[in-house]
Amino acid sequence: CMTILAVMVLVPIYYLIVTTFKTSAEATAAPMALPSSFDLSGYARAFQKMQYPRALMNTVIITVCSVAGIIIVSAMCGYALNRKGNYRLSKMTFTLLLSGMLFPYQMSILGLYRLIQTMGLMNHLTAVILIDVACNIPFATFMFRSFVSTIPVELEEAARIDGAGTFRTFWTITFPLMKPIVATISILNALTIWNDFMGPLIYLNSTKLKTIQLGIRMFISQYGADYALIMAASVCSLVPVLIVFMVCQ
């Protein structure tokens, strides 16, 4: 059973890496075969055609700003809803937030598109960042609210006795103790936002603002797809994520 699972995981990775060294014709004719020669020109062409440095910078800006916004807003919301959870308004607010998890993002695309147009944010990275933050706040708030229950209230009471206000108590006492849940939410949301295709496709029409995922789409047309360049661009998309993963180990 474990062997079958290992094969299911390794075969796509093998296909991804091997295809990057093939020509377009060879990738189509013999998808799973080894390349006749290990040619790195596919990486150079993909790097140049998708304007990788600019696409990488746009993707990093969207991902970092979105994750930071999600963490800051959701941590404060989760803390307030947990510590003030006995109030009727807190319960209603939490229920309203949870209702945002019931409806898929695709149902709100038309409304969000009109909202972004009205705000004059079309073709701005800010549009994608705001939408990513708004769409991920409900689940993140739910996670933070549950985690705050594990933090002793006595720590906050001691800080208040020493003269700290609610804001200072949260950022100096409570938030540093949230590192496990902050790391979890950061990883989950960073991967989702990094690989997001639909958001940038809808709200970013300028070639200067395209992300890595939109760059990969450039190798697909109505007449076919250049699988060698698609795989090379996909590897370029994976490298920054792998570097961050190894640094954080």
Side-chain angles (χ1 to χ4, degrees):
C1 183
M2 294 300 295
T3 303
I4 297 176
L5 292 176
V7 170
M8 292 174 62
V9 172
L10 294 176
V11 167
I13 298 176
Y14 163 81
Y15 174 70
L16 171 67
I17 296 175
V18 167
T19 307
T20 62
F21 299 108
K22 298 179 180 180
T23 62
S24 301
E26 190 178 2
T28 305
M32 301 303 294
L34 290 172
S36 57
S37 62
F38 289 89
D39 186 9
L40 296 177
S41 63
Y43 286 99
R45 287 186 294 150
F47 191 91
Q48 181 179 8
K49 189 172 182 179
M50 70 186 296
Q51 298 179 345
Y52 182 76
R54 185 186 296 273
L56 176 63
M57 181 182 66
N58 292 334
T59 307
V60 169
I61 291 174
I62 292 174
T63 303
V64 172
C65 293
S66 297
V67 171
I70 293 168
I71 294 298
I72 293 172
V73 175
S74 300
M76 292 190 291
C77 288
Y79 172 77
L81 292 173
N82 182 280
R83 294 303 191 230
K84 305 295 182 180
N86 294 327
Y87 293 93
R88 180 177 298 179
L89 180 61
S90 297
K91 294 180 179 179
M92 292 175 59
T93 303
F94 184 60
T95 302
L96 183 63
L97 276 172
L98 288 182
S99 66
M101 300 170 57
L102 301 178
F103 304 98
Y105 164 71
Q106 290 77 5
M107 289 183 61
S108 59
I109 287 179
L110 181 58
L112 289 174
Y113 185 84
R114 291 180 176 176
L115 177 63
I116 293 299
Q117 274 190 324
T118 303
M119 296 173 64
L121 292 178
M122 288 296 296
N123 284 322
H124 286 274
L125 296 180
T126 307
V128 181
I129 293 171
L130 290 176
I131 290 174
D132 284 337
V133 172
C135 291
N136 289 286
I137 279 179
F139 178 73
T141 301
F142 172 77
M143 297 290 288
F144 273 112
R145 181 179 182 273
S146 301
F147 188 84
V148 170
S149 301
T150 65
I151 301 176
V153 182
E154 291 75 14
L155 296 175
E156 300 168 16
E157 293 175 347
R160 292 192 183 95
I161 292 174
D162 291 336
T166 302
F167 190 81
R168 184 179 179 186
T169 299
F170 171 76
W171 288 112
T172 59
I173 303 297
T174 308
F175 189 76
L177 298 176
M178 293 181 176
K179 289 181 180 179
I181 192 63
V182 168
T184 301
I185 292 176
S186 298
I187 292 172
L188 292 176
N189 286 287
L191 290 175
T192 301
I193 295 169
W194 183 273
N195 294 315
D196 183 30
F197 173 77
M198 185 174 294
L201 176 66
I202 295 174
Y203 307 109
L204 304 177
N205 298 322
S206 173
T207 56
K208 295 182 179 180
L209 298 176
K210 66 183 177 185
T211 60
I212 291 179
Q213 304 307 321
L214 293 182
I216 296 175
R217 179 179 176 267
M218 293 177 60
F219 307 116
I220 304 174
S221 67
Q222 60 179 334
Y223 302 108
D226 192 331
Y227 293 106
L229 295 185
I230 289 174
M231 297 306 169
S234 299
V235 171
C236 292
S237 174
L238 288 173
V239 168
V241 178
L242 293 177
I243 292 175
V244 172
F245 173 77
M246 289 186 289
V247 170
C248 294
Q249 281 292 86

